[in-house]
Amino acid sequence: MQDTQITAAPVPARNPRRWVILGVICLAQLVVLLDNTVLNLAIPALTEDLGASTTDIQWMINAYALVQSGLLLTAGSLSDRYGRKKALITGLVAFGLCSTAAAFSASSGQLIAARAGMGIGGALLMTTTLAVIMQVFDGEELPKAIGMWGAVSSLGFAGGPLVGGVLLAHFWWGSIFLINIPVALIGGLAVAKLVPESKNPLGKRPDLVGAVLSTVGMVGVVFAIISGPEHGWTSVSVLVSALVGLASLTAFVRWELHVPAPMLDMSFFRNRRFNGAVAGGILVAFGMAGSLFLLTQHLQLVLNYSPLEAGLRMAPLALTIVGLNLAGVGAKVLPKLGAAGTITSGMTLLAGGLAAVATVGGSLGYSGMLVGLVLMGSGIALAMRPEWANAIMGSIPPEKAGVGAGVQGTITEFGGGLGVAVLGAVLNSRFAALLPATVGGRHGRGSLHEALAADPSEDVQEQVRDAFASGVGTSQLIGAAAVFAGGLLAGLLLHRAARAEAAAAETSAVPAGDKAAA
């Protein structure tokens, strides 16, 4: 009998510049995430220079998140269809141009419009950065690359107050946008030269109906979440927005189930691993974003630190994340605990840090808060973004990496927006309930500044500050509970998914004859 020689399929050569590409990708991601938090510290300067009202300020902050969250799924789908390199360059150009417009805005309306434009660029960047990593890296290098991307993402999320505080201490408010311009320019040139083009080889015509329905749905729901604390959850504008958003998302799901080439394949939700990451991720983003929002207020309005002082005092959070990631703690723990155990452990540490800030941050001052910041940083470094991204992207085919990254980004934006709105509403409700009678009424629905201005007497001022501090602490405890619940839920679902995958692998490994004999 003639011997048959079996030739193994050639292994595709890895891109020799893949780590340089990762550096460019991480830089772009860092700038996008810094803009999620950096503007909060510039509120006093914007109020003075542009004569911005409270409503204007809210729209300056929310226009970016609203547009970005609404377009994430669409941006991911378009990058899969037309090319992720093209989408990445387009996002960098849009982000750079709109950052320039924001820096030199002469009115509140101009700044709001510029921030909305930055949201478009941010949506393209958030979906394509992770998708490009999925295409450039493979094998054992892929989790390492996603881990580095996640570390930079966590640093951007936590480092915004520090960067904003330093810039605002030395320059005018427009400087927080100008730092984006060289990054966009250098990043665009580097992407054009280094990053290979990739797209879905089976890509069909765009799902325009799905894109419109998902965008309208996400914008409607997020707008209702953002506007609820200001206008009241039962106001006409909030209810109409929520109903339109939910109806559009329902129509989107029904459409995607029946259209031949869906933008978001609903079969993803049959994957237990995917569902675990989605469910837990929303709750974790809820507690994390909402609590960081409260943390900046705690430092500035309760402990009376300036923006720069507040930013510097949040530095231990960012430094802990960077230090533990550079030490590879998450990578060392993951093989021992598995994805489920690592995520649960990290979220437990994060929840403990938030609870420490809420319980001892006020009575012990900054020394008590420092313990909480270190615990928070440890939890984030252990299990925050890398594991969520691995859990989600590992459940999705590589050719749909853009949509997968859109889902991951949508979870973060949706959960974060919900956390800021709900925990902010808890803060306002608790604050109003504890205010002394002389500054109650309409002042209870306003800000700490308005309540302090209502009665200048020293005793009342102290009661007002105590009421605000109590509201912040209560909200932070709720955020801690959400993070803890999210970690437990995700850990449980991911553990079940791992057991099911292991059982399926064992079944498929049994020879056919053994199965028949059994």
Side-chain angles (χ1 to χ4, degrees):
M1 180 181 294
Q2 186 176 3
D3 293 337
T4 302
Q5 185 176 4
I6 300 175
T7 304
V11 178
R14 288 174 171 173
N15 191 314
R17 298 180 291 189
R18 59 193 180 278
W19 295 107
V20 179
I21 293 172
L22 177 63
V24 175
I25 293 296
C26 287
L27 184 62
Q29 181 78 354
L30 177 63
V31 173
V32 172
L33 289 167
L34 282 175
D35 262 89
N36 280 326
T37 56
V38 74
L39 191 61
N40 288 326
L41 294 177
I43 290 174
L46 291 170
T47 303
E48 181 178 348
D49 291 354
L50 298 181
S53 65
T54 301
T55 302
D56 291 336
I57 293 294
Q58 288 179 325
W59 275 110
M60 289 174 191
I61 295 172
N62 294 333
Y64 180 75
L66 184 65
V67 173
Q68 187 182 70
S69 60
L71 291 178
L72 280 168
L73 284 177
T74 301
S77 176
L78 291 176
S79 70
D80 285 340
R81 173 65 178 84
Y82 293 107
R84 296 164 190 124
K85 179 176 181 177
K86 293 186 182 71
L88 190 52
I89 293 175
T90 302
L92 284 166
V93 170
F95 201 77
L97 290 176
C98 292
S99 294
T100 305
F104 297 104
S105 296
S107 67
S108 298
Q110 290 179 14
L111 182 54
I112 291 169
R115 289 279 290 170
M118 290 172 66
I120 297 174
L124 288 167
L125 291 174
M126 283 193 72
T127 53
T128 50
T129 53
L130 186 54
V132 168
I133 291 174
M134 295 291 295
Q135 300 300 317
V136 175
F137 291 90
D138 58 16
E140 75 282 357
E141 287 187 345
L142 181 58
K144 295 179 182 177
I146 292 180
M148 293 180 66
W149 172 88
V152 172
S153 298
S154 299
L155 177 61
F157 194 66
L162 176 60
V163 173
V166 172
L167 289 172
L168 291 169
H170 297 90
F171 307 102
W172 102 111
W173 59 264
S175 62
I176 63 178
F177 301 113
L178 287 181
I179 60 171
N180 299 334
I181 298 171
V183 174
L185 180 61
I186 296 171
L189 294 174
V191 169
K193 183 174 179 60
L194 299 173
V195 176
E197 182 61 281
S198 64
K199 61 178 71 174
N200 184 357
L202 303 177
K204 301 178 181 180
R205 66 179 184 177
D207 179 12
L208 296 180
V209 175
V212 171
L213 289 174
S214 68
T215 301
V216 172
M218 286 303 302
V219 168
V221 171
V222 174
F223 176 81
I225 291 171
I226 289 173
S227 302
E230 178 192 2
H231 300 295
W233 295 103
T234 58
S235 65
V236 174
S237 60
V238 171
L239 289 177
V240 169
S241 175
L243 289 174
V244 170
L246 291 173
S248 298
L249 289 178
T250 302
F252 170 71
V253 172
R254 294 178 63 86
W255 173 263
E256 297 298 285
L257 286 171
H258 297 94
V259 69
M263 183 176 78
L264 176 62
D265 191 342
M266 290 298 157
S267 65
F268 294 162
F269 292 95
R270 299 193 191 107
N271 187 306
R272 292 184 179 181
R273 186 182 180 196
F274 181 84
N275 289 337
V278 169
I282 289 176
L283 281 175
V284 170
F286 173 98
M288 187 63 200
S291 297
L292 280 179
F293 166 73
L294 295 170
L295 193 59
T296 58
Q297 297 195 59
H298 192 141
L299 286 165
Q300 292 185 81
L301 301 178
V302 176
L303 300 181
N304 297 317
Y305 292 120
S306 69
L308 176 57
E309 291 172 335
L312 290 173
R313 281 164 176 78
M314 286 188 68
L317 173 63
L319 292 175
T320 302
I321 295 170
V322 174
L324 293 181
N325 274 296
L326 289 177
V329 172
K332 294 174 183 176
V333 171
L334 182 61
K336 298 178 181 178
L337 300 182
T342 302
I343 286 177
T344 302
S345 300
M347 294 306 101
T348 300
L349 283 173
L350 177 55
L354 292 171
V357 170
T359 54
V360 300
S363 59
L364 299 181
Y366 181 70
S367 59
M369 181 175 287
L370 180 60
V371 175
L373 291 174
V374 172
L375 285 174
M376 288 172 65
S378 302
I380 294 171
L382 189 60
M384 187 59 173
R385 288 181 177 272
E387 289 313 314
W388 296 125
N390 272 314
I392 292 174
M393 301 303 288
S395 309
I396 291 177
E399 64 270 13
K400 295 186 178 181
V403 171
V407 172
Q408 196 270 343
T410 299
I411 290 170
T412 302
E413 291 295 324
F414 181 77
L418 187 64
V420 171
V422 173
L423 296 186
V426 172
L427 166 61
N428 291 336
S429 176
R430 179 71 172 166
F431 177 47
L434 295 177
L435 280 176
T438 54
V439 294
R442 64 184 183 88
H443 298 292
R445 294 181 60 84
S447 64
L448 173 63
H449 176 74
E450 291 175 351
L452 289 173
D455 190 331
S457 62
E458 186 175 341
D459 289 343
V460 171
Q461 298 267 308
E462 184 176 354
Q463 291 178 53
V464 169
R465 292 188 182 279
D466 288 344
F468 188 82
S470 177
V472 170
T474 301
S475 301
Q476 285 172 329
L477 285 175
I478 293 175
V483 170
F484 184 64
L488 288 180
L489 176 62
L492 176 63
L493 294 176
L494 291 174
H495 178 67
R496 289 182 176 177
R499 289 179 59 186
E501 290 171 1
E506 281 186 21
T507 302
S508 63
V510 176
D514 292 347
K515 291 180 182 179

